[in-house]
Amino acid sequence: LTKGKLTLLCDAKTDGSFLVHHFLSFYLKANCKVCFVALIQSFSHYNIVGQKLGVSLTTARERGQLVFLEGLKSSVDVFFRSQEEPHPLQFLREANTGNLQPLFEFVREALKPGDNAEAAWRCPVLLVDDLSVLLSLGVGAVAVLDFIHYCRATVCCELKGNIVTLVHDSGDAEDEENDVLLNGLSHQSHLILRAEGLATGFCRDVHGQLRILWRRPSQLTAQRDRSLTYQYKIQDKSVSFFAKGMSPAVL
């Protein structure tokens, strides 16, 4: 299990959420302490998919292994509590929406080493699904990159843990904020998984292709980044990967 890494999940013209579910189940099975900032779906949605992949989010949350921030519910709570009470999504009720410090404080508190009761957990992991939502809520790309910078300093460097986050690639040349966010994260990432829809359109037996790029962001070496491309098909409880043009349906 590698530590101190930032993994960027990116999807373009397809739904890359299957990658989020994979990493969530992987780290829970690996006995890691996970802080999941879920801004897209409800807890029950992730739990149902998790059960298909062999993990129970309910059990993980009850035993303290999983700290789950349910953005859909929490966004409503922000407006019905007093201003004095801190909330991870406090920026929603502020005129200046660039302040993500309460969200960072939530992550740091969730993953900080505790008493001996937590000694059993392996490395801490921050999972975010997905950062593009923050842009849609009015937060600037620079503020989101600052948030990830502070999380990297704490989770990756200080606590020797990992960060996995999803960002959408809208493919819109005029969406400068999203481009700034995507480029900024790409330069910091050690691993980039980019799910793309097929250029030829919908296919029943091939749902898309996955580009895998291993990067060395902090090493000034002559070694080049490595990349591979696979095609994939999402099934009920798993994902099948195969080389381009090697789908069982074709063969």
Side-chain angles (χ1 to χ4, degrees):
L1 187 66
T2 57
K3 298 180 181 181
K5 305 296 185 186
L6 170 61
T7 299
L8 172 62
L9 312 178
C10 175
D11 57 15
K13 297 180 181 177
T14 191
D15 182 8
S17 59
F18 71 94
L19 295 170
V20 175
H21 296 300
H22 161 75
F23 278 100
L24 178 59
S25 61
F26 171 77
Y27 282 121
L28 289 177
K29 287 177 182 177
N31 215 31
C32 296
K33 178 71 180 282
V34 178
C35 175
F36 189 10
V37 178
L39 303 174
I40 288 287
Q41 300 283 1
S42 64
F43 177 83
S44 59
H45 169 83
Y46 293 105
N47 193 35
I48 289 170
V49 178
Q51 286 174 338
K52 290 184 177 182
L53 299 177
V55 294
S56 170
L57 271 61
T58 305
T59 303
R61 187 162 68 171
E62 287 172 353
R63 60 199 282 246
Q65 183 187 9
L66 173 67
V67 179
F68 190 94
L69 175 63
E70 190 166 358
L72 294 176
K73 269 187 183 176
S74 300
S75 58
V76 178
D77 297 339
V78 175
F79 298 100
F80 293 100
R81 62 167 63 201
S82 67
Q83 192 80 34
E84 288 71 33
E85 293 182 72
H87 191 283
L89 304 180
Q90 188 70 28
F91 67 88
L92 287 172
R93 62 185 292 176
E94 295 174 353
N96 176 18
T97 54
N99 182 19
L100 293 177
Q101 186 175 351
L103 184 57
F104 165 69
E105 296 291 349
F106 171 84
V107 171
R108 184 168 65 176
E109 189 66 25
L111 294 178
K112 73 176 184 181
D115 302 325
N116 294 333
E118 292 189 14
W121 307 130
R122 292 175 74 182
C123 72
V125 175
L126 168 62
L127 192 58
V128 185
D129 184 20
D130 69 76
L131 283 178
S132 300
V133 171
L134 295 176
L135 298 183
S136 302
L137 293 172
V139 181
V142 174
V144 178
L145 288 170
D146 285 346
F147 165 70
I148 290 296
H149 173 76
Y150 279 100
C151 288
R152 278 187 67 205
T154 301
V155 180
C156 297
C157 300
E158 187 182 330
L159 300 177
K160 299 293 184 284
N162 295 317
I163 297 176
V164 180
T165 182
L166 176 67
V167 177
H168 295 295
D169 183 356
S170 61
D172 185 356
E174 296 181 2
D175 192 352
E176 294 181 8
E177 287 287 288
N178 201 70
D179 285 347
V180 169
L181 177 60
L182 203 50
N183 290 333
L185 286 174
S186 296
H187 285 298
Q188 299 178 51
S189 301
H190 300 84
L191 174 64
I192 301 174
L193 301 178
R194 180 181 171 87
E196 302 171 337
L198 296 174
T200 52
F202 176 77
C203 174
R204 190 181 65 184
D205 297 298
V206 182
H207 293 153
Q209 67 178 21
L210 183 70
R211 296 179 187 271
I212 307 171
L213 177 64
W214 288 271
R215 298 190 68 255
R216 301 170 181 84
S218 57
Q219 297 178 15
L220 298 174
T221 64
Q223 287 182 298
R224 297 181 61 182
D225 297 337
R226 291 191 304 128
S227 68
L228 288 171
T229 301
Y230 293 99
Q231 290 181 331
Y232 64 85
K233 180 181 180 181
I234 301 174
Q235 293 157 323
D236 191 39
K237 296 184 179 181
S238 64
V239 181
S240 299
F241 292 93
F242 34 83
K244 276 185 167 184
M246 301 295 284
S247 164
V250 176
L251 302 174

